[in-house]
Amino acid sequence: MAYSPNYKRTTNGRAKTLINNARARSKKKNIEVLITSEWVEEHLKRGTCELTGIPFSFEPPPDGLTRRPDAPSLDRIDKTKPYNSDNTRVILWAVNCALAEYGTEIMLPILERMVDAIKNELTPLPNH
């Protein structure tokens, strides 16, 4: 089925894309997906990451990137459990990557130190 280029820019289109991607990953790993695209869409309508409060972007990634860091992503809180409403949250893709790779125990102290350093002007922010 061919989709409009703007399909993933809607909450409905992005929800269906996220749930279909989760189902494809889960099939390979024999993990249940017990949430629906409607459940995902309700979370996307909030417009922000459930961990950071940073707004999601549904825009295509800029040149040179395969995915936007602020794109929404489905996160299973406990990787041993299925995608269900108690174990799934919609967060930024970049945050999900960091947590998947290193876990909360490692990332939380790093991020806290980063925030402290920026607040106390110990490290300059790049001008982008």
Side-chain angles (χ1 to χ4, degrees), residues 49 52 56 67-73 91-102 107 111:
C49 171
T52 66
F56 293 127
R67 201 172 288 180
R68 293 187 65 92
D70 54 356
S73 178
I91 65 175
L92 297 174
W93 182 77
V95 172
N96 200 358
C97 289
L99 292 176
E101 183 71 24
Y102 301 109
M107 288 308 301
L111 296 172

Side-chain angles (χ1 to χ4, degrees), residues 25-114:
R25 285 188 309 274
S26 296
K27 189 174 183 179
K28 294 176 188 175
K29 297 177 182 180
N30 199 27
I31 298 166
E32 289 183 285
V33 178
L34 303 172
I35 56 172
T36 64
S37 62
E38 292 80 14
W39 183 92
V40 176
E41 186 174 8
E42 286 304 311
H43 287 257
L44 290 175
K45 285 180 180 177
R46 294 178 189 167
T48 59
C49 171
E50 292 180 39
L51 282 178
T52 66
I54 295 172
F56 293 127
S57 175
F58 295 156
E59 296 300 313
D63 288 340
L65 294 179
T66 57
R67 201 172 288 180
R68 293 187 65 92
D70 54 356
S73 178
L74 297 181
D75 175 48
R76 280 183 303 130
I77 299 163
D78 182 339
K79 303 304 180 207
T80 66
K81 295 181 180 177
Y83 285 94
N84 64 39
S85 60
D86 293 330
N87 191 46
T88 307
R89 56 193 171 193
V90 183
I91 65 175
L92 297 174
W93 182 77
V95 172
N96 200 358
C97 289
L99 292 176
E101 183 71 24
Y102 301 109
T104 304
E105 301 78 28
I106 291 173
M107 288 308 301
L108 188 57
I110 292 170
L111 296 172
E112 287 173 339
R113 292 288 300 270
M114 190 171 129

